[in-house]
Amino acid sequence: MAGTLNAPTEPVLARRRPRENWGSRLGVILAVAGSAVGLGNFLRFPGLAATNGGGIFMIPYFISLLVLGIPICWVEWTIGRYGGARGFNSAPGIFSALWPSRVSKYFGALALIIPVGIYMYYVYIEAWCLAYAWDYVSGTMTRYGADAGTDVTAAVAAYRTHFTEFVGMGENGLLVYGSLQKGVVFLLIVFVINFVLIYRGLTKGIEAFCKYAMPLLAVFALIVLVRVLTLGAPDSSRPEINVNNALGFMWNPKTGDEGFLAALANPELWLSASGQIFFSLSVGFGIVLNYASYLKADDDVVLSGLTATSTNEFCEVCLGGLITVPVAFLFLGEANLTKDVLGSTFSLGFMSLPAVFARMPAGSFFGAVWFFMLFIAAITSSLSMLQPAIAFFEEGFGMGRRLSVTCLGLLTAIGSLLVVYFSKNLLATDTLDFWIGTVCIFMLATVEVILVGWVFGVGRAREEVKRGAALEVPRVFWFIIKYVSPTYLLVIFGFWCYKNIPAKIDEVRAMSPEDRGTVLLMLAFIGVLLIFFGMLVNLADKRWHLIGKLPLEPARGLPLAAADEEGRTRS
Amino acid sequence: MTWAGWLLMTLSCGVVVSLMVFCYRRVLRTPRPEEHMHAPLEIDTRDADT
C-alpha cells in the first residue's frame, strides 16, 4: 500500500471492519422506496396536481419521470455501486473514485450536508405525524374542533389554531414556553427511535425495519383509500358532493379559458411537475448513492432502481392521488380548497385533514391510521438521511458505529433544537428547506448527471450498468443522460432560481427584525455546516491517501498512476 | 367527473400499477447472482493416468 512506510499508525488507521451489505434484493428496494416515499407523496403531490391543471399535470409529470427521474435514479444506483466496489460508502469517497481530482470530494460533501440538514427539520415534522396519530388514539384530537359544530370553515380554523399552538408558530421559543411541550416530547421519542434503528446497522436496522414498515404503510393507505372510495355522498342534503365529483376535482383537466394544448404549454406546469418528480424520488439527496454502495459488485441496479421508483410512484399517484384531495373535497367542499390550502403541505395535512376526519364516520380510527401511515412514510425517509453521514464518519475517520452515531446525534440535535426554538412562522424550517432541501439538491443532482455523462463517460457508465443487470437499459437513455437530463436540470434550476430567489430575498427584506434575524441565523448555520463538512472531507481525504485507499494525489500534473508510483518510491 | 378525467386517472394509475407489478414479478422471479451460480464442473482430464 502506498504510504504505509511513513505512516506508523497505519495498522490502527487502516483497521477495517467487515463490509456491510444488504441482506436481500427486496430489502434494498424497500429501503430505497422507503427513503423516497414520504410526506410529499401524500400531501404535496395531490395539492400540486389539483392546482396545476388537474389531469393535465400528469402529462409533464410522466415525461419528467422518463427524462429526469428514472435516468438520474439509474445514475445514482450505478455510481453508488461503483464506489462501493472500490470500498467507499460515502459520497466524498465515491466521487473521488469516480473522478480522481482534488475538487471531486467537495462535491461529495454536498451529499452529506443535504440529508443531515434536511433531517434536522424533517424529524420534527415526523414527530407531528406521530403526535397527531397519538391524539386520535387517545381521543383528544376531536376535542380541538368540537366547538366548531357543523361549520366546516370554523372547524378548519379551529384545527389551524391547534396546529399553530402545537408547533409554536406564534412566537419563538417553543422549547422554553414554561412547560415541556407535547411537540418536543414527541420529537425526543422520534429522535431516539431513529437513532436506535440506525445504531442497529444497515441490515438489522434499516433493512429489517423497511421490510415491515413499507408493506404496513401500503396496507394502512389502502384501508383509507377503500374508505374514501366507498363514501358515496356523505351529506345526503348535498348529493352533488360525491366520490365521482371528488375524483373529478382532482383528475379533470382544468384548462381555464384556454384550450388543452395552450394549458399544456404553460411553463409553470412543467416546472411544478418536474420539481415534484425530482423531490419525490429523492434523487440528488445523496441517499440512493449511499444505499447503492452497499450492493455487491454484480448486483443488479437497473431493475432494482426501477422497482423502487415504481413503488414510489404507486404511493404517490395511486394512493396520494386518490385519497388526499378527494377526501378533502367530500367533507370540506370546493370553496374551502383554495390554492393556498392545497399548495401548502402543512395547511392541507395538519389543518384541513383533521377537520375531514372529524366529519368522517369512524373518523378517529381513520385519522389514527392516516397519521400513523404518514409517520411510517416519514421515518423510513429520515432513517435514510442519517446513513450517508454515518458511513462517512466510519470510513473517513475509522470510527466505530457507536461513536459515529453519537457524533451525528449531537450534530443533528443542535440543528433540530434550533428548528424547534425558532418556531415562529416555522421560519427556521422554511430556511433550511429552501436552501438545503431545494437549492443544494438541484446542485448535487446537476453535478451527478454531468459527472457521469461527461467526466466518467457514458461508455464506462453503460458498461457499469450492464454488470448484473436484470433488464437492459434502452439506448436512448444514454443520450438522455448525456444531453437531455443535464440541459433539462439546468433549465429548470435556472428558471426556478429566477422565479424564487428574488422573491425570497424580497420576503426576507420585508420581515420584522426578529424574523430577519432568525433567517440570517439559519443561513449562518448552513454556512457553518458547509465549512464543517468541507473540513471533515478534507481530513478524510488525507487519511484515505495515507492508508492507501486512494492513490497519492497527482503532483505537478502527473497522472494518478505515475504519482502513486512516485509516492511509493519516495516512501 | 368528465371522460377526460376518467381517461387521465385510469391511464396514470394503470401505467404505474402495471410498471410496479412487472418490476416486482421480475424481482421475485430473478435469483441474485450467487443464488444461481454453481461451482465449476469437475472435469476429469485423466492427466494423472498418463
Side-chain angles (χ1 to χ4, degrees), chain A residues 24-25 252 299 307 311 470, chain B residues 2 16 23-24 26 32-34:
Chain A
S24 66
R25 181 197 271 183
N252 282 347
D299 276 348
T307 310
T311 310
Chain B
T2 62
V16 168
C23 286
Y24 276 101
R26 285 293 293 262
R32 281 178 77 149
E34 67 267 29

Side-chain angles (χ1 to χ4, degrees), chain A residues 99-120:
Chain A
W99 178 28
S101 150
R102 285 172 198 273
V103 294
S104 56
K105 56 184 178 284
Y106 295 108
F107 288 122
L110 263 183
L112 301 175
I113 294 163
I114 291 170
V116 168
I118 295 176
Y119 177 85
M120 291 170 181

